[in-house]
Amino acid sequence: MQQVAAIISNPMDFNVEDLYVDLRRSVGRRLFLKCEGFNFAGSVKLKAAAEMVEAKERAGELTPGSTLIESSSGNMGVALSVVAASRGYRFVCVTDVRCTRTAIRLMETLGSEVHIIGEPDPEGGFLGARLAYVRRLCAANSGYLWLNQYANDGNWMGHYRTTGPEIAKAFPLLDVLFIGAGTTGTLMGCANYFRENQPSVTVVAVDVVGSVTFGTPAGRRLIPGLGTGVRPGILDPSCVDDVVHVSETDTVRMCHRLVRGGFLFGGSTGTVVSGALDWLAANGAAEDVTAVAISPDFGTNYLDTVYDDAWLTRSYGTGSGTGSGTGTGSGTGAGAPDAG
């Protein structure tokens, strides 16, 4: 009897790569959203996590029982927890108080050890404090292997090999691609791919107000995923055609706008979609322009933050226009815990 079911024995073998949402009904214009949350880690970070670990294995730097360590605001920590569990490694994640409780519980359930930083570095913010803590742990534990996603070429190479070609195959006539800027792994992987293989595509980075990634001033950020307090080492701004910054209140408004249509997306997705609509409007893009945006994850991890009215009131104050009953447009951001 011929087998027609997809059967896997490793969580790394499951990753839906070709599902796109047409957002016309939700946002009023032609914009296709590539959903990267359909895997056992729940986010786009699984691709980079697997690439970085496999590179270390090929180099002979990992053996059964090795201990990985990484700084993460949530999604990369969960992804590395999945990879470590599937390959028999220990994993230590250094995060901070803005990481969602759901992400922390996921990492712990997968067997990882989680360290939570309570105070930001005066200059580097929470990311700077996390990186300093990682360095101290590595100095005290010679057996720890720090992947350093912010400077590891495997972070972007995973997307150069997978995400970029997947989008090119699905949209051979692509005009513009919108990618959120966190560690910039997804951004650099896709930007390098299209620059080499389809240079006519305009690549737009979407960052958050308060992030220093593209040289704008540091500021208060509460939603995990995008933005950094320390510029990532793998970033090459020359690969990016344009940058748009989105405020966190516009991020929340977009998340609530999308969920009213049944699409529960994460904060990073709200940022990317809001930024994409701002850019398309500002550049007078025709309705027939083929535009794709990347959705890093879904909204389950954000139920206690982005989708919680009490948290929104505490974080942004009443009258900020971020409650579940408000927000009908993308807004125009001017200018999270840190990326990863």
Side-chain angles (χ1 to χ4, degrees):
M1 180 178 178
Q2 184 178 4
Q3 178 181 305
V4 295
I7 299 173
I8 66 171
S9 58
N10 187 309
M12 307 301 299
D13 295 336
F14 176 78
N15 197 351
V16 176
E17 301 168 345
D18 58 355
L19 194 147
Y20 295 78
V21 174
D22 183 343
L23 291 178
R24 271 177 289 200
R25 287 183 59 187
S26 296
V27 303
R29 78 157 295 149
R30 192 167 179 256
L31 177 64
F32 300 102
L33 193 62
K34 187 180 196 303
C35 298
E36 288 283 350
F38 290 110
N39 57 59
F40 279 99
S43 83
V44 70
K45 295 291 185 177
L46 188 60
K47 292 175 174 178
E51 184 79 20
M52 291 189 295
V53 170
E54 289 168 3
K56 294 296 184 183
E57 289 175 336
R58 291 192 298 270
E61 298 180 45
L62 284 172
T63 57
S66 292
T67 299
L68 301 168
I69 185 170
E70 185 57 275
S71 156
S72 170
S73 66
N75 279 343
M76 179 59 82
V78 174
L80 283 170
S81 294
V82 172
V83 175
S86 70
R87 282 170 155 78
Y89 304 129
R90 292 182 61 238
F91 174 54
V92 178
C93 180
V94 178
T95 188
D96 62 64
V97 292
R98 297 173 296 179
C99 182
T100 66
R101 181 59 187 163
T102 303
I104 293 170
R105 288 289 293 119
L106 281 170
M107 289 186 274
E108 292 175 337
T109 300
L110 286 160
S112 299
E113 179 181 326
V114 182
H115 295 241
I116 303 172
I117 302 300
E119 295 293 333
D121 179 84
E123 304 220 348
F126 275 106
L127 177 55
R130 291 190 336 235
L131 295 178
Y133 189 84
V134 168
R135 293 186 182 99
R136 291 197 296 271
L137 283 182
C138 289
N141 299 273
S142 59
Y144 281 16
L145 177 64
W146 181 22
L147 294 171
N148 193 4
Q149 60 172 324
Y150 313 97
N152 191 322
D153 286 340
N155 189 352
W156 67 265
M157 185 58 71
H159 298 287
Y160 178 89
R161 292 193 311 101
T162 60
T163 313
E166 290 161 11
I167 296 170
K169 179 180 178 181
F171 295 91
L173 300 179
L174 179 65
D175 293 307
V176 58
L177 175 62
F178 298 95
I179 310 169
T183 66
T184 68
T186 309
L187 175 63
M188 287 295 96
C190 292
N192 275 290
Y193 177 83
F194 281 100
R195 183 171 66 172
E196 294 177 13
N197 296 278
Q198 205 169 330
S200 62
V201 173
T202 298
V203 175
V204 179
V206 182
D207 202 2
V208 293
V209 173
S211 169
V212 305
T213 301
F214 292 96
T216 49
R220 176 177 178 262
R221 292 175 294 112
L222 301 176
I223 301 173
L226 301 185
T228 64
V230 178
R231 186 173 179 171
I234 60 174
L235 173 65
D236 178 2
S238 69
C239 295
V240 178
D241 296 301
D242 206 352
V243 180
V244 58
H245 286 82
V246 175
S247 70
E248 287 194 333
T249 52
D250 285 340
T251 290
V252 174
R253 289 189 184 102
M254 182 53 66
C255 286
H256 284 262
R257 182 178 183 181
L258 293 172
V259 83
R260 287 199 296 272
F263 293 114
L264 182 66
F265 287 113
S268 297
T269 300
T271 303
V272 173
V273 173
S274 181
L277 294 179
D278 287 349
W279 189 93
L280 291 168
N283 286 272
E287 287 298 321
D288 61 350
V289 162
T290 300
V292 171
I294 296 178
S295 166
D297 62 1
F298 294 117
T300 308
N301 287 356
Y302 302 84
L303 296 180
D304 294 333
T305 54
V306 170
Y307 294 102
D308 182 78
D309 283 340
W311 183 87
L312 293 173
T313 299
R314 290 194 306 272
S315 300
Y316 304 107
T318 57
S320 62
T322 56
S324 60
T326 62
T328 57
S330 65
T332 54
D338 294 301

